[in-house]
Amino acid sequence: MRCQTALRTVALVGALGLALAACGSSEDTAPVLDDSPPEATAYAGPVGQGEGALSVLAWPGYAEDGSTDPAVDWVTPFEQATGCQVSVKTFATSAEAVQLFSTGEYDVVSASGDASLRLVYGDRVQPVNTDLVPNYADILPDLKNKPWNTVAGKSYGIPHGRGANLLLYNLATHPTPPTSWADMWEPGSPAAGKLSAYGDAIYIADAAVYLMAKQPELGIKNPYALDQTQFDAAMALLRQQKPMLGEYWGDYVKQGQGLASGTLSEGMGWQLTANLANTDATTVGTTKPVEGATGWSDTWMIKKNTEHINCAYQWLNHIVSPEANAQVAEYFGEAPANTKSCALTKNPDHCTQYHAQETGFWDNVYYWTTPIEQCIDGRRDVECIGYDDWVRAWTELQNS
C-alpha cells in the first residue's frame, strides 16, 4: 500500500483508493485461530528447474513488471532468468490478502504481520527452508525469527521490509514538533475534530502502545498480547478517542491531502503519506513519539501444497536479493530487509530517511502481529484476546 513518489502512485491510487475505503472491514474466510500450529515440514530441496509459472499475491508495488511504469520492473528479469512466468494479483488490505490466499489460487503471498499468523494457523502456508534462499543470509537479524514469521521454531517466510506507523502533523499548526501521542488520545486535545486514526481492528494495538507508557500498572508488554483487563482498557481509550476524530482513514493519499491542507491536524500514518503530501511544498511533518509506535514488517510466504515449489523458492530468493529489494523498497516506500540494499538505492538518502539500519529506532516499534489466545508475550497463566474478538470489538466501536 505504500509507494515512493507521487508520479509512481498515480496508477495505483485509482484502483487502491476505493479498495482502501474498506479497511474497516476485517472479514475473511480463514479458520478461527487456535493455540496449536498445524504439523508441517519445509521443502527439503534442492531447488531445481522452475515449473514455468508462478502466481503471486502481493501488496501493490511489490511485484512490478513495467506495466505501471516501464522504468519499474523487477519481474521481467526474474522471468528471463528462471523461465517462471509470473502472474500478479494485488490486494488492498490484510483481510483481503487472507481471503484471496485461502482460495488456493496463489503460490506465494507478501503477508503483513496481521495476516501471516492467520495463514499459518489456517494451514494455508508451509514452513520455508531458509537454507534454500541464499539471500536470506543478508537479511537484517532484527527481522528474523519473529512472532509474525516464525511459529514453533519454524520459519514460515522470508522478511521483505519494514516501516513504522508515525505521528503525522500539519506543520503550519505545529511550529514546535509534537513529541507524544497525547493529542491523539487525551480529552481536551487542541487537535480535537481534526485527528486521523487508522480504520482497522489492528489499530487497537496503537491504543495499547499508548497505555504501555501512560498506565504501566496494566502490565502490557506486547500490544498484540492483551488479556481481558488490558483489552478492555484499550477499548475504553478508543471510545474516548472516537468523538475527537475527524476520520478513520483508509486512503493514505486522501489522509495526506487533509494533513497538507490543514483539514486534519494530526494522525497516525506512514512516512510515505508525508512524502506524497510534500511533493510540491513541505506541509506535513512526521515523528515517532516517545511512547513508541506500531509498525509493519512483511513476509513472503509459500502456499502449503503449491505445484510450483521451485519457482516459489526462486522468487523468494530474487525478491529479497540486494538489487530487487532495493528497487522495491524505494518504489514502495519502506526500509529494505537486505543489509546490502541500501548501497543500491537511487536516492542515497533513502535508507537514512526510513531508518533502515538504525537498530535503536526500532526498539519501541511493535510490528503488526495477529493476536492469538496464547499470549505471545510469554505468559501462560492467562488467556489473551484473539483476533476474532478484536474484530468484533472493533465493529461494535464503529457502529456505536
Side-chain angles (χ1 to χ4, degrees):
M1 285 193 298
R2 305 159 285 262
C3 349
Q4 174 64 19
T5 67
L7 289 176
R8 290 175 175 177
T9 56
V10 167
L12 298 177
V13 168
L16 183 58
L18 292 176
L20 282 173
C23 277
S25 172
S26 298
E27 296 180 0
D28 57 62
T29 58
V32 175
L33 298 176
D34 58 34
D35 291 343
S36 303
E39 292 293 330
T41 57
Y43 179 56
V47 176
Q49 184 174 355
E51 297 83 2
L54 185 72
S55 181
V56 175
L57 184 64
W59 288 110
Y62 263 16
E64 290 295 311
D65 61 1
S67 57
T68 301
D69 182 339
V72 181
D73 184 358
W74 46 87
V75 170
T76 301
F78 169 78
E79 293 175 325
Q80 293 172 341
T82 65
C84 303
Q85 297 302 302
V86 177
S87 59
V88 179
K89 170 70 174 179
T90 60
F91 55 85
T93 68
S94 287
E96 185 184 0
V98 173
Q99 183 182 44
L100 288 170
F101 202 72
S102 296
T103 66
E105 298 177 24
Y106 305 97
D107 298 305
V108 297
V109 59
S110 63
S112 289
D114 55 336
S116 52
L117 288 189
R118 281 184 270 170
L119 296 174
V120 172
Y121 283 88
D123 202 20
R124 307 297 189 187
V125 292
Q126 60 179 278
V128 169
N129 184 344
T130 58
D131 291 338
L132 301 181
V133 184
N135 285 313
Y136 184 75
D138 296 321
I139 298 296
L140 285 161
D142 288 354
L143 300 181
K144 296 179 178 179
N145 303 314
K146 298 302 179 182
W148 61 87
N149 59 32
T150 303
V151 177
K154 298 177 182 178
S155 295
Y156 274 84
I158 303 298
H160 175 97
R162 58 180 171 176
N165 296 321
L166 302 171
L167 176 61
L168 279 55
Y169 57 94
N170 176 273
L171 288 168
T173 57
H174 293 79
T176 300
T179 60
S180 170
W181 289 107
D183 285 352
M184 289 286 294
W185 297 108
E186 298 293 345
S189 169
K194 294 186 175 183
L195 297 173
S196 178
Y198 188 48
D200 188 86
I202 204 67
Y203 185 65
I204 296 171
D206 291 74
V209 168
Y210 188 69
L211 290 173
M212 288 171 69
K214 297 303 178 181
Q215 295 186 32
E217 65 274 13
L218 287 168
I220 299 174
K221 303 301 182 185
N222 184 309
Y224 309 99
L226 304 177
D227 61 34
Q228 190 67 61
T229 298
Q230 296 165 342
F231 186 80
D232 289 346
M235 292 307 304
L237 186 59
L238 286 159
R239 287 191 292 271
Q240 175 176 287
Q241 181 194 57
K242 186 178 179 182
M244 301 190 298
L245 294 177
E247 67 169 14
Y248 284 108
W249 71 269
D251 184 333
Y252 66 86
V253 176
K254 181 180 177 182
Q255 184 198 32
Q257 292 168 343
L259 287 162
S261 69
T263 303
L264 298 172
S265 180
E266 296 183 27
M268 182 277 264
W270 301 316
Q271 181 65 51
L272 162 66
T273 306
N275 291 350
L276 295 176
N278 293 334
T279 300
D280 298 320
T282 303
T283 56
V284 179
T286 66
T287 187
K288 177 168 67 73
V290 294
E291 298 91 359
T294 59
W296 43 270
S297 175
D298 297 334
T299 302
W300 281 101
M301 311 181 84
I302 302 176
K303 184 175 74 173
K304 182 182 178 182
N305 296 315
T306 178
E307 296 178 354
H308 304 122
I309 190 67
N310 293 301
C311 283
Y313 268 91
Q314 290 179 68
W315 173 260
L316 263 59
N317 192 53
H318 169 75
I319 201 65
V320 298
S321 66
E323 299 81 7
N325 202 223
Q327 292 178 71
V328 179
E330 197 162 18
Y331 178 73
F332 193 71
E334 66 180 350
N338 193 304
T339 57
K340 296 180 178 179
S341 293
C342 288
L344 301 176
T345 57
K346 293 180 179 179
N347 176 6
D349 296 325
H350 176 83
C351 283
T352 298
Q353 184 179 36
Y354 285 88
H355 309 279
Q357 296 182 16
E358 297 175 35
T359 301
F361 177 86
W362 304 98
D363 285 345
N364 61 350
V365 173
Y366 302 91
Y367 303 104
W368 284 342
T369 306
T370 306
I372 59 176
E373 292 181 0
Q374 179 177 307
C375 300
I376 60 174
D377 60 2
R379 288 180 292 172
R380 293 294 178 264
D381 57 338
V382 297
E383 186 175 276
C384 280
I385 307 302
Y387 173 77
D388 297 310
D389 287 328
W390 279 49
V391 172
R392 276 190 284 270
W394 180 259
T395 302
E396 290 175 4
L397 175 70
Q398 300 304 298
N399 293 333
S400 64

